């Protein structure tokens, strides 16, 4: 594609609140050439209506497609009604975008009885098609939570798994603003991803691959901070902002840091806390990759969230009066001791590499008294359902929260199974109630006043264009009773 249509990357909405949401698009008439529109900002008209045909317009305005932000548009719409469906559309220079849809959150005091959402992670483009997003379109969801690895940084070679040649113009490893923009552009050209963004509001947090594999704060994997890596991370954070419907304040001009931890409220039913396990964490106390747990990891001065975010999280849980308290974040919280390799052997990139910080996190959850804490996790390219405990070594320790780790949308494709490696470890970690390492898909969830149901949906294939989703298992968590039961 390319030519006159400036809306080749589709539209998106994000971070719904009771009175509005963020609306996003980016003008890209020639997707492989981000400079095609020149140096000037371009005024874009936007409209919000209560009907899909855009006849009953309730809000409208003009926003800038900002040249220094790759002509992206972020509109923070306010003044809408809570718990209501809306449609939106952009216009520029006589061209109109597709119509997108979102639903505002219920009012803070609403006595709402239903929240339906999906949570996803790890959508490496060359690994395959976004079958999971196509499957999702059949459901009525209030929100899609993306838990990170929205893009991957690697050079793209032959894309056997999508059955097409190399995507010419988009293949370079991402290292600077130009290449990170091209990578987001390539992903956004996918029609299944565009359809999901147009249908549902998203709340997106990043993990490592939006920048580079397994980095920690300003330290790249297996290395130490440097001006080069700081510049790389800054470029990646800017490109992320340019392509994701998040609030960052229109005034943000530099992206050395970008706050993505935030809360979304859904009436008296649920609060969703979105965390950032990457930007503020200490470099791995025991080194990268896998290792024996080292002494340093047990000391209190290592952090996953950073002191400010830890205090913010704890304060939010203390204040919460909602029935469900979702903590949406990147990395496996439950312990996974690699006992079949060696006792006391762990994967250091996840919370297992930061056991003292995890102990603070889980004791804060308990101390807050927040009702029904549930962790949504991404990253592992596997599915887990876990009982979280203050002491994972004690099988008699009470379950204090439940963790659902959602499978990858694509990463790994139809092959590269993790089951043969990790499944033999699971019996040594009895708080892990379910593990599957070989299939792709996503979780959807429905929260009500009495219980929450979690439906695991796998897909038949991500390497064939006709792959479909199917239900694998479902779990129920009852109000007031931590721990999931398969139904
Ligand atoms: Fe991943
Ligand atoms: Ca990851």
């Amino acid at each position: 594609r390319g030519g006159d249509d400036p809306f080749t990357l589709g539209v998106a909405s994000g971070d719904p609140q009771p009175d509005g949401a963020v609306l996003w698009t980016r003008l890209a008439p020639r997707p492989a050439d981000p400079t095609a529109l020149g140096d000037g900002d371009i005024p874009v008209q936007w409209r919000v209506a209560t009907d899909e045909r855009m006849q009953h317009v309730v809000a409208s305005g003009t926003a800038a497609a900002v040249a220094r932000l790759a002509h992206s548009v972020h509109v923070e719409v306010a003044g809408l009604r809570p718990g209501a469906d809306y449609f939106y559309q952009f216009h520029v220079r006589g061209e109109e975008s597709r119509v997108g849809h979102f639903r505002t959150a219920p009012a803070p005091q609403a006595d709402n009885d239903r929240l339906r959402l999906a949570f996803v992670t790890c959508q490496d483009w060359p690994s395959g098609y976004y079958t999971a997003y196509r499957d999702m379109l059949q459901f009525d969801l209030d929100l899609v939570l993306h838990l990170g690895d929205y893009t991957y940084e690697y050079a793209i070679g032959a894309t056997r798994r999508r059955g097409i040649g190399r995507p010419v113009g988009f293949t370079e490893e991402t290292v600077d603003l130009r290449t990170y923009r091209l990578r987001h552009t390539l992903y956004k050209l996918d029609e299944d991803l565009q359809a999901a963004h147009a249908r549902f509001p998203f709340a997106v947090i990043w993990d490592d691959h939006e920048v580079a594999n397994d980095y920690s704060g300003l330290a790249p994997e297996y290395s130490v901070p440097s001006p080069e890596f700081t510049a790389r991370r800054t470029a990646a954070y800017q490109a992320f902002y340019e392509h994701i419907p998040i609030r960052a304040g229109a005034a943000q001009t530099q992206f050395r840091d970008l706050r993505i931890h935030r809360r979304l409220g859904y009436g008296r039913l649920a609060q969703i806390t979105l965390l950032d396990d990457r930007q503020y964490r200490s470099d791995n106390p025991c080194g990268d990759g896998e290792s024996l747990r080292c002494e340093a990891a047990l000391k209190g001065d290592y952090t996953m969230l950073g002191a400010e975010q830890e205090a913010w999280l704890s304060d939010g849980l203390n204040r919460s009066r909602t029935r469900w308290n979702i903590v949406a974040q990147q990395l496996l919280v439950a312990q996974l001791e690699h006992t079949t390799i060696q006792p006391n052997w762990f994967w250091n990139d996840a919370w297992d590499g930061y056991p003292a910080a995890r102990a603070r996190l889980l004791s804060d959850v308990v101390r807050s008294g927040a009702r029904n804490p549930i962790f949504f996790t991404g990253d592992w390219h596997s599915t887990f359902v876990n009982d979280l405990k203050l002491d994972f070594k004690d099988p008699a320790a009470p379950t204090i929260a439940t963790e659902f780790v959602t499978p990858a949308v694509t990463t790994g494709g139809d092959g590269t199974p993790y089951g043969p490696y990790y499944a033999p470890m699971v019996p040594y970690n009895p708080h892990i109630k379910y593990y599957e390492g070989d299939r792709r898909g996503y979780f959807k969830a429905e929260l009500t006043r009495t219980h929450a149901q979690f439906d695991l949906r796998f897909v038949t294939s991500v390497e064939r264009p006709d792959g479909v989703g199917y239900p694998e298992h479902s779990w129920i968590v009852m109000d007031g009773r931590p721990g999931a039961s398969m139904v």
Side-chain angles (χ1 to χ4, degrees):
R1 285 183 292 179
D4 293 333
D5 179 12
F7 297 109
T8 54
L9 307 186
V11 300
S13 69
D15 287 16
Q17 294 187 337
D19 72 337
V22 180
L23 308 182
W24 172 92
T25 191
R26 202 195 117 208
L27 307 183
R30 295 191 193 89
D33 178 12
T35 66
L37 290 172
D39 292 335
D41 292 358
I42 297 171
V44 175
Q45 283 74 50
W46 58 270
R47 294 184 299 153
V48 173
T50 54
D51 64 307
E52 192 163 9
R53 297 172 62 201
M54 300 302 297
Q55 305 218 316
H56 303 286
V57 173
V58 294
S60 62
T62 300
V66 181
R68 69 177 166 75
L69 299 174
H71 290 99
S72 60
V73 180
H74 292 75
V75 180
E76 299 187 9
V77 182
L80 304 181
R81 290 189 303 114
D85 285 289
Y86 290 100
F87 299 85
Y88 63 98
Q89 188 175 33
F90 296 95
H91 289 77
V92 67
R93 297 174 174 171
E95 301 282 336
E96 60 183 23
S97 74
R98 72 189 291 169
V99 173
H101 162 262
F102 65 96
R103 187 173 295 148
T104 52
Q109 290 310 315
D111 194 19
N112 49 325
D113 185 37
R114 183 174 291 179
L115 171 60
R116 285 178 288 201
L117 44 81
F119 48 110
V120 297
T121 193
C122 296
Q123 56 187 39
D124 181 46
W125 187 94
S127 284
Y129 295 102
Y130 295 151
T131 317
Y133 285 122
R134 208 178 326 124
D135 181 68
M136 209 178 279
L137 296 177
Q138 68 188 289
F139 301 112
D140 180 20
L141 303 172
D142 299 294
L143 182 68
V144 176
L145 284 165
H146 199 298
L147 304 174
D149 291 357
Y150 190 100
T151 56
Y152 282 71
E153 75 275 25
Y154 303 118
I156 297 176
T159 57
R160 171 181 61 79
R161 285 164 160 166
R162 276 182 176 242
I164 56 172
R166 302 171 78 225
V168 175
F170 297 96
T171 59
E172 292 165 82
E173 182 181 1
T174 59
V175 294
D176 56 16
L177 190 54
R178 181 183 68 85
T179 46
Y180 281 111
R181 281 173 169 167
L182 285 169
R183 188 54 51 91
H184 277 278
T185 302
L186 173 68
Y187 280 54
K188 277 290 196 308
L189 288 169
D190 183 278
E191 293 189 3
D192 294 318
L193 181 60
Q194 283 195 15
H197 272 299
R199 178 75 64 88
F200 309 118
F202 275 51
V204 184
I205 48 177
W206 57 44
D207 189 24
D208 53 337
H209 288 288
E210 288 85 351
V211 180
N213 187 52
D214 288 2
Y215 76 98
S216 296
L218 287 167
E221 185 184 23
Y222 295 115
S223 191
V224 295
S226 66
E228 292 72 26
F229 187 76
T230 300
R232 184 178 182 181
R233 195 186 86 162
T234 301
Y237 283 8
Q238 178 171 338
F240 179 89
Y241 173 73
E242 290 170 350
H243 293 84
I244 300 294
I246 56 170
R247 296 166 207 277
Q252 179 130 9
T253 55
Q254 67 82 31
F255 292 87
R256 184 183 182 281
D257 310 293
L258 178 60
R259 178 179 168 142
I260 63 161
H261 59 284
R262 57 201 190 271
R263 291 187 191 97
L264 298 173
Y266 277 86
R268 283 153 61 179
L269 188 64
Q271 171 175 278
I272 302 171
T273 305
L274 298 115
L275 300 185
D276 182 347
D277 292 354
R278 284 288 160 197
Q279 183 172 190
Y280 311 108
R281 74 185 199 171
S282 321
D283 201 2
N284 312 73
C286 308
D288 290 274
E290 295 178 0
S291 79
L292 275 177
R293 180 162 290 162
C294 62
E295 273 301 306
L298 303 173
K299 295 213 195 96
D301 46 355
Y302 284 91
T303 177
M304 178 68 93
L305 301 175
E308 188 277 336
Q309 187 180 192
E310 264 187 43
W312 169 88
L313 171 63
S314 167
D315 181 58
L317 292 172
N318 287 337
R319 290 166 191 265
S320 175
R321 295 292 175 267
T322 59
R323 187 173 300 268
W324 300 94
N325 285 278
I326 306 296
V327 180
Q329 53 94 56
Q330 294 82 3
L331 301 171
L332 183 69
V333 177
Q335 179 165 293
L336 175 54
E337 186 172 7
H338 293 23
T339 315
T340 49
I341 309 300
Q342 194 178 334
N344 211 29
W345 188 268
F346 295 100
W347 172 248
N348 291 331
D349 187 64
W351 284 92
D352 267 339
Y354 298 76
R358 175 172 58 197
R360 287 198 303 277
L361 169 76
L362 294 179
S363 55
D364 279 354
V365 166
V366 171
R367 216 175 10 244
S368 73
R371 189 162 171 165
N372 297 317
I374 310 269
F375 282 78
F376 290 176
T377 299
D379 176 60
W380 205 284
H381 312 170
S382 294
T383 311
F384 296 74
V385 178
N386 302 324
D387 288 344
L388 297 182
K389 297 173 178 242
L390 292 179
D391 182 358
F392 290 107
K393 285 290 198 190
D394 176 8
T399 299
I400 56 115
T402 313
E403 179 179 37
F404 292 89
V405 180
T406 199
V409 169
T410 56
T411 310
D414 290 340
T416 54
Y418 277 5
Y421 187 68
Y422 291 113
M425 304 170 188
V426 168
Y428 297 95
N429 294 269
H431 50 276
I432 297 176
K433 299 301 190 191
Y434 176 81
Y435 175 76
E436 207 290 331
D438 307 340
R439 285 184 279 174
R440 313 296 161 234
Y442 65 103
F443 264 109
K444 66 187 182 68
E446 178 165 313
L447 313 185
T448 73
R449 291 193 203 105
T450 54
H451 67 281
Q453 179 166 328
F454 300 84
D455 299 323
L456 173 60
R457 292 188 68 83
F458 282 138
V459 298
T460 55
S461 173
V462 298
E463 297 184 21
R464 297 205 332 255
D466 60 349
V468 294
Y470 62 93
E472 177 68 10
H473 292 300
S474 293
W475 288 263
I476 297 273
V477 177
M478 298 302 294
D479 174 39
R481 225 179 300 156
S485 309
M486 194 186 279
V487 292

